[in-house]
Amino acid sequence: MELDISENSLPVYEALASQVRLNMIQLLAKQHMNIRELAEALGLSSAIMTMHVKKLEKAKLISTRMVPGKGGVQKICSLATDKLEIKMPLPLDQTREFHQTVVSIGHYTDFDVVPTCGLATVDRVIGEFDEPRYFLDTERVHAKILWFGQGFIEYKVPNFLLSSQKPEELEISLELSSEAPFTNDNWPSDLSFYLNDTLLGSWTSPGDFGDKRGKHTPAWWPSVVNQYGLLKRLRITHEGTFMDGHLISNVKLDQLSIEDKQWAFRIAVLDDAQHIGGVTLFGTGFGNYNQDILFKLYYTQEARQTEA
């Protein structure tokens, strides 16, 4: 997991500021445990332990799942990450140069989607739910949220790199979640990401979140459907491809025709995925982060050759 010095990472720092929760992480590093087992191991009540579990869940440090037990359903806890990386602000003289492009959620150039599906502007739903033909509606360019159960959505992205600039890293950030009927926080979905027809790797979204309203979700948006997603950062470097600091593939920057004048970026829920749980994309005016799909291409300036 990649962290920074901003309020986006604050839930993680708050979750770690507790000896009890640090002890819980130590225990879960050895084995999965339910709430009762954690409570007994640390000499706490189940009610207090439930509070600590929720804190670690909110920070995405642990994940939980409900399974049948002897006395009914029990919540099993397990670690959700094995590494934390904190990106500190760079000194002014080390600030990297980059080209930035923002692509609106509705500005896709190709798609093939299967219901459940739909899209909406910040003011209204476009057409009807679960009718893929509305993905061709002229209003779709104003969409700030879209969702589908299976298939793909693709965006063409302009590249403003100059011939004198050498690409070093491409960062793609976006807010997304799974797509469940209504909502379901425990609804895993394997999402695959492509750039210029090359599979960058996959990431499993844990759920479709509706436990509270998104910070920027419009007031008219129904409370029974998806409210917000997770902000994910996909980074392609000369070492490989990373999701929030975790290596997800060995695809490197120089394998992607990164100097082309435009790129094709695709998000897909594949037919042969283990978890086919759909995807929801959140743009400005929806979710918790109030941003569309953000591309940053970091580069270094090549020195000009002078005549002897």
Side-chain angles (χ1 to χ4, degrees):
M1 180 185 296
E2 187 176 275
L3 308 173
D4 57 21
I5 308 301
S6 74
E7 65 177 10
N8 295 335
S9 299
L10 195 56
V12 178
Y13 301 134
E14 291 176 343
L16 294 175
S18 162
Q19 187 61 55
V20 170
R21 291 191 286 273
L22 292 177
N23 291 340
M24 291 169 62
I25 291 173
Q26 293 284 357
L27 290 170
L28 293 174
K30 300 175 183 177
Q31 61 181 355
H32 303 332
M33 300 176 73
N34 62 32
I35 289 180
R36 180 184 57 80
E37 291 169 336
L38 284 168
E40 290 179 353
L42 297 175
L44 299 171
S45 69
S46 292
I48 294 297
M49 182 53 61
T50 297
M51 179 193 70
H52 287 297
V53 166
K54 288 182 178 178
K55 196 82 172 180
L56 289 171
E57 273 189 295
K58 181 182 178 181
K60 310 302 179 187
L61 293 173
I62 69 170
S63 60
T64 62
R65 66 183 190 278
M66 305 302 292
V67 300
K70 293 181 179 180
V73 178
Q74 58 178 319
K75 179 177 281 192
I76 302 295
C77 306
S78 57
L79 289 185
T81 185
D82 59 0
K83 181 181 179 181
L84 298 178
E85 179 182 352
I86 301 176
K87 295 182 69 175
M88 298 294 287
L90 290 173
L92 189 60
D93 61 351
Q94 294 183 27
T95 300
R96 296 190 296 169
E97 295 183 287
F98 60 87
H99 292 292
Q100 177 171 296
T101 302
V102 178
V103 178
S104 182
I105 295 298
H107 287 192
Y108 48 85
T109 52
D110 196 9
F111 72 94
D112 184 8
V113 301
V114 174
T116 57
C117 64
L119 64 171
T121 70
V122 293
D123 299 313
R124 61 187 178 278
V125 172
I126 297 174
E128 302 173 4
F129 285 172
D130 298 336
E131 178 46 80
R133 287 178 294 180
Y134 284 105
F135 276 66
L136 291 171
D137 192 289
T138 56
E139 278 292 297
R140 60 94 169 174
V141 295
H142 302 298
K144 291 298 183 180
I145 186 172
L146 66 79
W147 62 96
F148 56 90
Q150 197 172 340
F152 73 86
I153 200 88
E154 184 172 280
Y155 297 86
K156 290 291 177 64
V157 185
N159 177 17
F160 296 106
L161 191 74
L162 302 178
S163 59
S164 61
Q165 297 166 344
K166 180 182 178 182
E168 296 294 341
E169 177 184 325
L170 177 63
E171 179 182 278
I172 306 168
S173 65
L174 68 169
E175 183 177 355
L176 73 175
S177 72
S178 308
E179 162 50 28
F182 298 103
T183 65
N184 189 332
D185 289 358
N186 185 21
W187 188 266
S189 184
D190 298 335
L191 309 183
S192 296
F193 303 91
Y194 293 79
L195 192 75
N196 295 340
D197 296 322
T198 298
L199 176 62
L200 299 174
S202 300
W203 167 74
T204 301
S205 169
D208 182 10
F209 307 108
D211 57 313
K212 57 186 177 182
R213 292 195 69 81
K215 293 179 181 178
H216 304 283
T217 298
W220 65 268
W221 187 249
S223 60
V224 295
V225 294
N226 34 27
Q227 297 295 317
Y228 64 92
L230 303 175
L231 186 65
K232 308 304 293 182
R233 289 186 175 88
L234 188 65
R235 292 171 47 242
I236 308 102
T237 73
H238 294 300
E239 286 72 47
T241 299
F242 301 81
M243 178 67 83
D244 293 341
H246 293 283
L247 182 69
I248 60 171
S249 81
N250 292 317
V251 175
K252 300 175 176 60
L253 200 64
D254 56 7
Q255 299 173 241
L256 297 172
S257 304
I258 204 67
E259 297 185 19
D260 287 356
K261 299 300 182 183
Q262 67 176 22
W263 310 314
F265 177 62
R266 176 177 292 198
I267 304 165
V269 180
L270 302 176
D271 295 346
D272 59 354
Q274 181 180 356
H275 303 105
I276 301 177
V279 62
T280 303
L281 300 180
F282 300 82
T284 53
F286 280 89
N288 281 348
Y289 296 95
N290 206 34
Q291 72 162 64
D292 289 292
I293 306 175
L294 184 64
F295 295 80
K296 285 185 178 181
L297 181 61
Y298 293 91
Y299 64 87
T300 54
Q301 192 76 38
E302 295 182 346
R304 292 184 178 180
Q305 293 183 346
T306 58
E307 293 183 4

